[in-house]
Amino acid sequence: MKENHIGLRKTKQRELILNVISSAPGPVSVNEIAQLLEDCDKSTGIATIYRTVNLLLDNELIQCVRLHDAVQRYEPTNIPHHHHFHCSQCDKVYDLEGCYLHLHESTLKEGHQVNSHEITFRGICKDCKESS
Amino acid sequence: MKENHIGLRKTKQRELILNVISSAPGPVSVNEIAQLLEDCDKSTGIATIYRTVNLLLDNELIQCVRLHDAVQRYEPTNIPHHHHFHCSQCDKVYDLEGCYLHLHESTLKEGHQVNSHEITFRGICKDCKESS
DNA sequence: GTTCGTGCAAACCTTTTGCAGCCCA
DNA sequence: TGGGCTGCAAAAGGTTTGCACGAAC
């Protein structure tokens, strides 16, 4: 991981996994990572994928995105503030540009201090709408 | 199940489980439901709790709330549209009144059709702020 | 009495762990 | 060469399913 970060070894598998997560159009699950690696003939043991994902999480190179299904998905931490759209039909997740939340105060009327927020939209994605 | 909803039988266990979810101060997990039933000497098989929760979900009497930890929690659907505040310090979850999202179109600029949305705020809750 | 629901245990699925062999530094 | 990394398989944890008995109608 970037320049031997904290004594970690740079291996083919780790590069591949980080690359898959970084180049996906939205957050991906462990299964999707495994599938994508298989698709390009770079099959990797599932245990390695889990271990690598946890390693990347620990080093904050990726973060976990949790939507309405039970699946944990991962995305790079170095992308700008954004939110997600989750298709109810094909189950894919898309990144959305910008932020739809107009919240100017950092303290809510209930008195809680807000440090961050997450928004998830659900519905039917463009592709599913067009093919129906 | 409200008045024999769809041919479902009204049983002691189902009433208890719905009651536990409805009267909890916030969304509860399956484990919490099991614990609460045990506490009042109404222990129920874990399989029954899972089946009942899924039944209640199917009939939209409850809905699933997913925060940033891996736990699935459930709350009644018959409370008004609201969002959640999750305290990073004490881990409590608060319901927030109203909606901070000003979204007038139902189709995003990316072309996806929005049917619903969820917002979760994170930060420090009022109580934690005051006691620090 | 018939049908559906419950509880138990087994099955299942996802994630983690142990271990022997391999590979990077 | 040595210690971390991988892959396999087994284990662990959480959820679902099959089945026989019991409860609801």
Side-chain angles (χ1 to χ4, degrees):
Chain A
M1 324 294 71
K2 48 167 70 161
E3 323 280 311
N4 209 358
H5 204 242
I6 40 162
L8 296 180
R9 287 190 181 168
K10 182 172 162 185
T11 67
K12 192 167 61 89
Q13 289 90 335
R14 288 180 178 175
E15 273 192 88
L16 280 166
I17 291 168
L18 183 53
N19 199 18
V20 160
I21 296 172
S22 299
S23 57
V28 287
S29 67
V30 165
N31 278 341
E32 288 169 327
I33 296 170
Q35 189 60 56
L36 288 164
L37 290 173
E38 218 169 288
D39 289 349
C40 63
D41 244 352
K42 300 286 197 304
S43 293
T44 303
I46 195 72
T48 298
I49 300 179
Y50 276 108
R51 271 186 290 230
T52 302
V53 161
N54 286 331
L55 190 81
L56 295 172
L57 282 174
D58 288 347
N59 287 285
E60 292 180 342
L61 293 171
I62 63 172
Q63 58 196 357
C64 181
V65 174
R66 220 176 298 269
L67 304 169
H68 209 259
D69 54 13
V71 180
Q72 294 176 232
R73 296 176 172 87
Y74 305 93
E75 66 182 9
T77 45
N78 63 3
I79 51 179
H81 182 69
H82 68 286
H83 297 296
H84 297 108
F85 179 89
H86 185 190
C87 179
S88 315
Q89 197 164 315
C90 69
D91 224 42
K92 276 206 205 92
V93 178
Y94 299 82
D95 286 351
L96 300 178
E97 267 179 53
C99 183
Y100 290 81
L101 187 65
H102 307 275
L103 179 70
H104 299 298
E105 68 263 89
S106 66
T107 299
L108 301 178
K109 63 171 178 288
E110 285 85 353
H112 311 311
Q113 179 197 316
V114 173
N115 292 336
S116 66
H117 68 266
E118 289 152 41
I119 308 180
T120 305
F121 294 96
R122 282 193 293 158
I124 308 297
C125 77
K126 199 180 176 183
D127 289 353
C128 285
K129 233 175 23 174
E130 281 170 1
S131 66
S132 67
Chain B
M1 326 289 85
K2 47 170 69 164
E3 323 278 310
N4 211 359
H5 203 242
I6 40 162
L8 296 179
R9 287 188 182 170
K10 182 173 162 185
T11 67
K12 192 168 61 91
Q13 290 90 335
R14 287 180 179 174
E15 274 192 88
L16 280 165
I17 291 168
L18 184 53
N19 198 21
V20 161
I21 297 173
S22 300
S23 59
V28 287
S29 67
V30 165
N31 279 340
E32 288 170 327
I33 296 169
Q35 189 59 58
L36 288 164
L37 290 174
E38 220 170 288
D39 289 350
C40 63
D41 244 352
K42 300 286 197 304
S43 293
T44 302
I46 195 73
T48 297
I49 300 179
Y50 276 107
R51 271 187 290 230
T52 302
V53 161
N54 286 332
L55 190 82
L56 295 172
L57 283 174
D58 288 346
N59 287 285
E60 294 179 341
L61 293 171
I62 63 171
Q63 59 197 356
C64 181
V65 173
R66 213 178 302 270
L67 304 169
H68 212 259
D69 54 13
V71 180
Q72 294 177 232
R73 294 167 229 254
Y74 304 93
E75 66 181 7
T77 46
N78 62 4
I79 49 181
H81 182 70
H82 67 287
H83 297 296
H84 296 106
F85 180 90
H86 187 190
C87 179
S88 314
Q89 198 165 314
C90 68
D91 223 43
K92 275 203 205 99
V93 178
Y94 298 83
D95 286 354
L96 300 178
E97 268 178 56
C99 183
Y100 290 82
L101 186 65
H102 307 275
L103 178 70
H104 299 297
E105 68 265 88
S106 65
T107 298
L108 302 177
K109 63 171 179 288
E110 284 86 354
H112 312 310
Q113 178 197 315
V114 173
N115 293 335
S116 66
H117 69 268
E118 290 150 42
I119 308 179
T120 304
F121 294 96
R122 282 191 294 158
I124 307 297
C125 77
K126 198 179 177 184
D127 290 353
C128 285
K129 233 173 28 174
E130 282 169 2
S131 66
S132 67

